[in-house]
Amino acid sequence: MARIQTPNRVRGTQDIFRDDERRFAHVQSTFDRVRRLYCFERVEVPVFEDTQVFARSIGETTDVVSKEMYTFPDRGNDSLTLRPEFTAGIARAYITGGWQQYAPLKLVTSGAVFRYERPQKGRYRQFHQIDAEILGAPEPAADVELLCLADQLLHELGIVDGVTLQLNTLGDAETRDAWRAALVAHFEAHRAELSEDSLARLDKNPLRILDSKDPRDRPIADSAPDIDAYLTSEARAFFDAVTAGLDAAGVTWTRNARLVRGLDYYRHTAFEFVTDRLGAQGTVLAGGRYDGLVESLGGPATAGVGWAAGIERLAMLLEEPVKSTLDFVVIPVGDEADQQAQHLVSQLRRTGFTADLAFRGNLKKRMSKASAQGAAFTFIIGRDEIAGNTITIRSLVDGVQRNLPFSALTSAMKTLVVTTSVESDRAQILFEQISSSELEE
């Protein structure tokens, strides 16, 4: 019989397991905890959308739309696209779901996104993002709120060292139009020296020349006029309010006058949290204000600001993977102990403990595995315990072992549910309760 060839993992995808999964889960759980502190609601949006949702919102001329989207016809010959980002889908849902009645809305989401690009460290074709948005709030305080959320997230993940918040303003519509005209004039004067990509952008998206990585473009981009000379008084006041709010909240930032967003619906604040710890992939979280996005999708004029961060990139910055805690391992010795062990492990889990059932190998191997898992205690149920209706508990920290009535353990668990909810200490508290002098042999 011919050997069956196992299909390989698709290029640009990943199987997230063990330490990598623990890092990944830690980013997600920390994000969920911090967003609750800021009263952001969670929303789920489809993995695929009508292609026009992304073509209109991201821009037909951008690399994401023209080169990187996973677009396909379905059986009804409708053009669908796997989401390359979250903001457009949330804006579409805001319109079609009638969410205007709840504005201002503070929303978060997370999950897989898809872009067909060259895989490299920290960059995949299926990757994962966390995303935060505020819709229906034109005030600079919304920008500050989102930036404070991002800053606290990075602090609580413990990865803020070496990460810098870079901030810029794109001004209002009047500012942007005047600056764009000045940039076009500047780049036209150097047309013969520009790269092919920048020549194509000059007609369609001239602001994107400012962040070109081509060595031919850098001297020209670096000598281009700054936006500050074209800021209206209203635009300057908005940016000043954002920076003053960040200062008041204790969020450190630095100005990057070359930080831009190419699409016309972007306004006012643009920002990136960047690091020197990931090589070329230095941006770990980025966003900005997009007051014209909802309107570009056919909705009412709606203010919006948001950011997204790659979970994989954040996870790469974590010093150590967070290990899951294991309170108890229940070890049955002999077939007659199996049912009682199942009963005990179920009781422990329902009481809120993490518990595993060691059902393979001899007692020595099971104890070694429990220790390797990082368990705090083991419960051993064998023939003698069943005969005496007792249970043996052993601390894997100091090796102390006690044999006690099974009823004492059940009673202690019931008491623990009522008296404490400190999860990190509950296993130790239970051990101390059932190991008290009156329960010892």
Side-chain angles (χ1 to χ4, degrees):
M1 181 177 176
R3 181 176 177 273
I4 297 174
Q5 182 65 43
T6 302
N8 289 323
R9 176 167 46 83
V10 175
R11 185 168 184 254
T13 62
Q14 54 186 324
D15 301 310
I16 303 171
F17 184 57
R18 288 281 169 93
D19 282 357
D20 288 337
E21 191 281 330
R22 283 191 278 269
R23 294 174 187 269
F24 190 96
H26 182 57
V27 172
Q28 289 184 303
S29 61
T30 304
F31 175 57
D32 191 58
R33 178 169 51 80
V34 175
R35 67 93 179 170
R36 292 175 188 274
L37 299 177
Y38 284 73
C39 303
F40 276 69
E41 297 180 75
R42 184 172 178 87
V43 63
E44 302 290 345
V45 292
V47 173
F48 56 87
E49 297 268 5
D50 186 303
T51 298
Q52 286 303 306
V53 169
F54 304 113
R56 291 181 189 173
S57 60
I58 301 176
E60 298 276 7
T61 62
T62 63
D63 287 347
V64 172
V65 171
S66 62
K67 301 176 183 179
E68 298 173 4
M69 292 202 317
Y70 280 91
T71 298
F72 56 94
D74 70 357
R75 293 185 178 183
N77 210 32
D78 294 321
S79 180
L80 303 179
T81 296
L82 296 178
R83 62 188 181 205
E85 52 95 46
F86 281 105
T87 308
I90 291 175
R92 189 273 310 151
Y94 180 84
I95 300 167
T96 60
W99 295 354
Q100 300 94 316
Q101 62 183 309
Y102 307 118
L105 265 178
K106 297 163 55 172
L107 303 172
V108 300
T109 192
S110 62
V113 287
F114 306 85
R115 295 188 186 184
Y116 189 89
E117 53 186 345
R118 185 170 66 87
Q120 53 187 289
K121 182 180 179 181
R123 176 178 286 179
Y124 304 92
R125 291 176 175 175
Q126 177 182 320
F127 57 105
H128 302 80
Q129 286 186 341
I130 52 177
D131 182 276
E133 315 282 347
I134 299 180
L135 289 163
E139 296 83 4
D143 305 50
V144 176
E145 176 90 339
L146 272 169
L147 285 163
C148 288
L149 170 66
D151 185 72
Q152 183 163 345
L153 172 66
L154 298 180
H155 273 86
E156 299 211 9
L157 286 172
I159 59 177
V160 74
D161 289 344
V163 176
T164 303
L165 167 58
Q166 296 186 355
L167 197 66
N168 196 23
T169 176
L170 303 177
D172 50 20
E174 183 180 343
T175 298
R176 193 179 177 96
D177 289 345
W179 186 39
R180 179 188 173 105
L183 288 174
V184 169
H186 172 78
F187 292 132
E188 283 285 0
H190 296 85
R191 176 179 279 273
E193 305 158 58
L194 291 173
S195 67
E196 293 79 5
D197 283 346
S198 289
L199 285 173
R201 291 169 175 169
L202 181 54
D203 296 326
K204 299 176 180 178
N205 211 341
L207 269 66
R208 294 195 61 213
I209 301 176
L210 292 174
D211 56 13
S212 170
K213 302 298 187 294
D214 194 303
R216 292 171 290 179
D217 298 326
R218 286 316 320 155
I220 306 168
D222 291 341
S223 61
D226 286 339
I227 192 172
D228 288 13
Y230 306 93
L231 285 176
T232 64
S233 57
E234 293 80 7
R236 188 176 299 277
F238 191 100
F239 189 57
D240 288 346
V242 172
T243 57
L246 293 175
D247 291 341
V251 176
T252 303
W253 59 277
T254 185
R255 178 75 187 278
N256 179 358
R258 286 295 186 260
L259 180 60
V260 297
R261 299 286 183 264
L263 300 176
D264 287 341
Y265 57 71
Y266 278 102
R267 297 284 186 272
H268 296 297
T269 317
F271 56 88
E272 292 183 0
F273 286 81
V274 299
T275 180
D276 56 4
R277 293 165 55 191
L278 291 178
Q281 303 305 315
T283 301
V284 294
L285 186 152
R289 178 165 283 277
Y290 49 83
D291 286 354
L293 174 59
V294 173
E295 203 169 354
S296 74
L297 289 171
T302 304
V305 59
W307 56 254
I311 296 178
E312 286 85 352
R313 292 189 190 179
L314 293 173
M316 287 166 62
L317 293 171
L318 296 177
E319 292 297 332
E320 294 291 338
V322 177
K323 294 181 180 179
S324 55
T325 59
L326 177 57
D327 296 321
F328 298 106
V329 172
V330 179
I331 303 176
V333 181
D335 293 342
E336 63 272 25
D338 287 349
Q339 290 186 6
Q340 191 162 344
Q342 286 284 2
H343 174 69
L344 175 56
V345 78
S346 295
Q347 273 193 309
L348 290 166
R349 290 165 177 167
R350 289 170 184 150
T351 310
F353 294 105
T354 54
D356 199 10
L357 181 62
F359 52 80
R360 172 176 290 184
N362 59 35
L363 179 59
K364 182 177 180 181
K365 287 183 178 179
R366 295 192 220 187
M367 291 294 294
S368 295
K369 183 180 179 182
S371 181
Q373 288 178 282
F377 305 96
T378 59
F379 285 116
I380 302 170
I381 305 173
R383 183 178 303 165
D384 291 342
E385 283 82 8
I386 292 174
N389 197 25
T390 63
I391 192 165
T392 298
I393 183 170
R394 178 184 293 180
S395 168
L396 296 182
V397 177
D398 55 20
V400 173
Q401 181 169 306
R402 300 278 196 283
N403 184 268
L404 56 126
F406 195 88
S407 58
L409 171 61
T410 302
S411 176
M413 280 194 289
K414 290 179 180 178
T415 302
L416 194 66
V417 172
V418 175
T419 59
T420 181
S421 62
V422 183
E423 294 183 4
S424 60
D425 297 324
R426 295 174 84 241
Q428 181 65 37
I429 293 170
L430 179 64
F431 178 69
E432 291 170 357
Q433 285 186 0
I434 59 181
S435 300
S436 59
S437 57
E438 65 268 25
L439 296 178
E440 293 181 14
E441 283 191 311

